[in-house]
Structures are given as structure tokens and as C-alpha cells.
Amino acid sequence: MKPVAGPSHLSTNTLLRLVRIWCYMAYPRQMVNFRRAIGHWPDPALPGSSNEKYTWRKIFDRNPLFTVASDKLLAKQLAQQLCPDVRVPETLWVGERAEDIPDELLHGSVMVKTNHGSGWNYSVCDGKHDRHELNRTVNGWMNRRFGRHHAEWGYYGVEAKLFVEEMLQEPDGQPLVNEYKTYLGGDGQIALTFCRQLDDAGNRIDAVIDHKGCVQTGYSEINELSDKAVVPEQYRDICRISRALSAPFDFVRCDLYVHDGNLYFSEFTLYSYGGYPTMSNPAVMQRLADVWDIGASWFLTTPQTGWRRYYAACLHRLLAGS
């Protein structure tokens, strides 16, 4: 998109100040949430850190592909279009009410999920479940709309559906743990891979593998990062597939499972941890910000109208270093 000149009577600083004020007035809850999660007030007009860029994305970036990527069913189709050799767990049934799930599907090991949220997953192992509780829990998810609290816009347009999916399992029959979540910029630059593994004693551990393939220690927004993680032999393929999956986005987290030596797509994540991922390692956090070029975003590559047109032009000039 060709930058346009802003109103002659407004300086760059004045325009940014006005946009900043508008953001705080239009999205006060998000500003307060940011302050509580990160510890300082954000600059949503000229974002620098990855957390501020998540906030900027929530407010300004209305990429239609975000709705597709946020839909857990459509995301599977998109993933296979972008990378045909990645596997996806088989979808066994799609509907709208938990009561309609066929009983025979719940006799084995499956995952019951909704497509319009994050973390709304109900595991059934070897047919063990309370049908009344399952119905109540899943229907409760279906009656909710995810993403409103943190302004995760990509979820807003997802048509709510319920589905049953095959369960990828550990040898003991429990849901698969071996998961790799890779953060990438739009040009395929890897920031880091968050991994979840089982150690030799069968305990779940979380760790971070940096863009050089080295395990990093410290703390994340969840818990302590282990130094006992093992870089998997499939790591090159994890990077390759994640790069293919990230191609249409300026920044995204691509989640993959390793199961029986094969890579399975899990989901795209556009607002990781609600937009507030944190790690105690400053180099890791800086890498997250560095690989995310908002100049490649939908907002800055699509013509805008009204005052957003002048704001976009202002950002173009600033990002170009003028």
C-alpha cells in the first residue's frame, strides 16, 4: 500500500498522541488488562514489545484470515492447504448440541471440542465419562462467545460448532503431551518454540527452544522452564512445517504434536495467552518482538479509510525510518 500524507496541521507526534488517546478511550478494559498482566501501561499507537503488538493487533488488524485461523475446524483445512504433508487428527462428528453426539463415538478414546474458543476440550479415555457432565460442560461452552474479555477479534466471527476428534495418545492411554508451539514472523523467522514433553520419570515438563535450537531456562507465564528438555529428532521438520503454515501471517504461533514419529497440526494461535506471553529471559522476549514486523500486517498492507488512513501512513513512515 502506498503511504499517503497526513493532515498538514498534525505532526507525527500529535497524530500518535491522538491515536493513543482514542485507544485508551475505546478499549479501556484492554489497557487495564495489559497493565495487570505486564506491569506497565501499553503504547498501542506505536507498539514496540511483542505484548504491545498483540494489543495493537486486537485493536487495528482485522485480517479476514484471522477468523478462518481461529475456527478450529477451518484451521485444519487451511493447514493442509498450506502444508499438504502435515497430518491432522481425524474429525469424527460435527454438530451443535452435546446431546446429539452418538453414544458409540464415546465408547473409545476421543476429544470433544468446540471450534470457536481456546481450551474448550473434553477428553474421553477408554469410554470413561459422565454423559450428563459432558453434556452440561460442552453445552456451556457452546453458549459462550470466546475472546470478548481480551478483545481477541479473530474469534468474533466464528460460527460455533461442536466436534468429536480422534485422540492422539501417550503409551499409557492418556491424551498426548508431546507438543511444540512455534512463534514465527511473516517471513518465516522463528522466534522460539515452546515445548511440552514427558521426562524420563513420566512427569510433564515445559521448556523453550530458541531459534538456534538451544534449550533456554527461566520462567514463562505458566511455570518454570526445564533445562531437561530434549530437542526432538523431528525439530527440522517442525521448523519447516511451521514456516509453511505461517506464510500468510505477519506473526503467528503454529502448534504441532509429535505422535509415533509423525507431525500433527493442532491449531493456529493469533493471541497467545490472551496477548500476554511473558518469559523471564529478556533475550527471548526481545526475539519475539524483533521477528514481528507489523508493516507486513493486513492493516498496513490494505488501504484504510478515514483517520486510520492517516495513521497507517504515519506508521509506514516511522517503520521506514523517515
Side-chain angles (χ1 to χ4, degrees):
M1 182 177 73
K2 183 179 179 180
V4 298
S8 58
H9 62 286
L10 289 181
S11 68
T12 295
N13 287 339
T14 300
L15 181 56
L16 289 177
R17 189 177 299 114
L18 291 173
V19 172
R20 197 171 293 121
I21 291 171
W22 178 86
C23 290
Y24 272 79
M25 293 180 65
Y27 293 86
R29 176 190 290 180
Q30 307 320 315
M31 304 301 114
V32 172
N33 287 345
F34 187 102
R35 176 68 173 81
R36 289 173 175 169
I38 306 303
H40 63 82
W41 296 103
D43 183 351
L46 187 60
S49 69
S50 59
N51 298 122
E52 288 181 334
K53 289 179 180 180
Y54 276 120
T55 297
W56 182 88
R57 168 180 277 182
K58 295 175 188 178
I59 295 173
F60 292 105
D61 209 8
R62 297 294 185 259
N63 188 341
L65 191 60
F66 287 1
T67 300
V68 176
S70 298
D71 185 321
K72 299 302 182 286
L73 287 170
L74 295 181
K76 290 186 180 185
Q77 301 176 25
L78 177 60
Q80 293 196 300
Q81 291 170 10
L82 294 169
C83 187
D85 62 332
V86 70
R87 303 187 181 199
V88 298
E90 182 182 0
T91 301
L92 306 174
W93 178 88
V94 179
E96 296 180 356
R97 297 191 323 140
E99 292 84 356
D100 296 335
I101 300 174
D103 288 335
E104 56 268 24
L105 285 181
L106 303 176
H107 290 165
S109 296
V110 295
M111 298 297 296
V112 182
K113 300 182 175 182
T114 63
N115 70 323
H116 67 299
S118 178
W120 290 347
N121 310 318
Y122 193 106
S123 59
V124 176
C125 297
D126 295 326
K128 297 176 182 177
H129 69 284
D130 181 324
R131 186 61 189 260
H132 176 74
E133 181 200 13
L134 186 154
N135 291 349
R136 179 182 58 80
T137 299
V138 175
N139 284 335
W141 294 335
M142 289 294 290
N143 291 328
R144 296 169 58 189
R145 290 298 172 263
F146 188 85
R148 301 289 175 176
H149 181 72
H150 292 299
E152 296 166 274
W153 174 85
Y155 290 102
Y156 291 5
V158 177
E159 181 183 353
K161 293 179 182 178
L162 169 65
F163 64 103
V164 179
E165 182 181 85
E166 70 166 315
M167 179 187 288
L168 303 179
Q169 295 176 284
E170 297 291 344
D172 63 0
Q174 293 301 307
L176 194 69
V177 172
N178 210 9
E179 187 174 15
Y180 296 85
K181 305 177 180 184
T182 304
Y183 295 74
L184 305 97
D187 56 359
Q189 286 194 80
I190 291 176
L192 61 92
T193 299
F194 178 87
C195 63
R196 182 159 289 158
Q197 301 175 342
L198 293 176
D199 63 15
D200 293 337
N203 300 312
R204 192 188 81 172
I205 58 173
D206 294 335
V208 162
I209 302 172
D210 68 16
H211 64 290
K212 297 178 181 179
C214 301
V215 175
Q216 297 289 331
T217 58
Y219 292 85
S220 73
E221 62 283 323
I222 299 178
N223 52 28
E224 184 175 3
L225 300 173
S226 173
D227 61 356
K228 297 182 173 20
V230 177
V231 178
E233 61 182 28
Q234 300 91 349
Y235 188 62
R236 286 181 180 270
D237 280 337
I238 290 172
C239 294
R240 175 183 61 81
I241 289 175
S242 296
R243 287 189 177 103
L245 295 175
S246 71
F249 304 96
D250 59 318
F251 187 83
V252 69
R253 197 186 85 195
C254 300
D255 297 0
L256 302 173
Y257 287 115
V258 177
H259 179 56
D260 287 339
N262 298 308
L263 292 177
Y264 284 77
F265 171 77
S266 174
E267 63 181 1
F268 294 106
T269 301
L270 298 167
Y271 314 96
S272 184
Y273 299 101
Y276 311 118
T278 57
M279 298 177 197
S280 61
N281 189 321
V284 171
M285 290 302 295
Q286 187 60 49
R287 178 72 181 176
L288 281 171
D290 289 345
V291 304
W292 188 346
D293 175 17
I294 64 171
S297 66
W298 174 89
F299 181 81
L300 289 176
T301 56
T302 304
Q304 302 298 318
T305 60
W307 63 266
R308 288 176 174 80
R309 178 177 179 230
Y310 301 110
Y311 170 54
C314 175
L315 282 183
H316 272 294
R317 292 194 298 272
L318 291 170
L319 294 174
S322 62

